[in-house]
Amino acid sequence: MDIRIGQGYDSHRFAGEGPLRLGTLDVDYPQGFAAHSDGDVVLHAITDAILGALAAGDIGDHFPDTDPQFKGASSDQFLRHAISLAAAAGYHVGNLDVTILAEAPKLSPHKKPMAEAIAALLGADVSRISIKAKTNETMGFVGRREGIAVMATVLLV
Ligand code: MG
């Protein structure tokens, strides 16, 4: 069996008004994200993990943030593009493991609906999608509530 692993990372700075677009959900928060697209840092990390598994570059290669057509773009399309590349190469998602680093907002109530929404986008059973959330113990930019960072690992089979 041919399997491929990929890892992705992204971080976005809080700016402007909420809600926060996170893992396709609109999470209630006083601030949103500074970003060229809708700023969905969770979907960006997952997209990069899939592109990494395929050795197909990174999200900036496929969707340059200098391109006006992606201004305010829904990040669903980035993930759909990556998963279509995977499918064209004969792969589907074996499992996905995501860690969200956020001092705020509290994400525990959102983990399950986020996993369900991402599973639907990926065409995977929700039992294969893990969403974990933790604080950074008040350290660094996450700890100072300047933004959110996300790490994602995906296995393509
Ligand atoms: Mg990003």
Side-chain angles (χ1 to χ4, degrees):
M1 182 171 61
D2 187 18
I3 61 172
R4 305 190 71 144
I5 194 167
Q7 60 99 12
Y9 169 85
D10 199 19
S11 60
H12 284 185
R13 180 186 292 275
F14 294 137
E17 294 183 355
L20 281 176
R21 188 78 173 165
L22 268 183
T24 78
L25 308 180
D26 284 320
V27 174
D28 191 36
Y29 195 62
Q31 291 178 290
F33 285 122
H36 188 66
S37 66
D38 66 3
D40 194 327
V41 63
V42 173
L43 294 195
H44 294 181
I46 298 169
T47 299
D48 255 354
I50 293 169
L51 293 175
L54 297 169
D58 60 39
I59 194 169
D61 294 332
H62 293 263
F63 302 100
D65 64 7
T66 51
D67 189 331
Q69 73 168 303
F70 302 125
K71 187 157 178 54
S74 167
S75 297
D76 295 18
Q77 68 178 286
F78 306 153
L79 186 54
R80 287 183 203 280
H81 174 71
I83 207 70
S84 72
L85 291 179
Y91 294 102
H92 65 274
V93 172
N95 74 300
L96 169 70
D97 189 18
V98 175
T99 301
I100 305 172
L101 297 169
E103 211 69 26
K106 187 146 189 59
L107 294 176
S108 50
H110 303 295
K111 291 189 292 185
K112 189 163 181 281
M114 200 179 293
E116 287 166 352
I118 291 167
L121 265 177
L122 294 176
D125 191 88
V126 72
S127 66
R128 295 174 180 273
I129 308 300
S130 160
I131 304 293
K132 312 195 298 296
K134 61 202 304 165
T135 72
N136 216 31
E137 298 285 336
T138 74
M139 296 181 290
F141 72 87
V142 168
R144 291 189 298 270
R145 303 182 182 217
E146 293 171 7
I148 287 179
V150 179
M151 298 178 286
T153 303
V154 69
L155 192 71
L156 299 183
V157 301

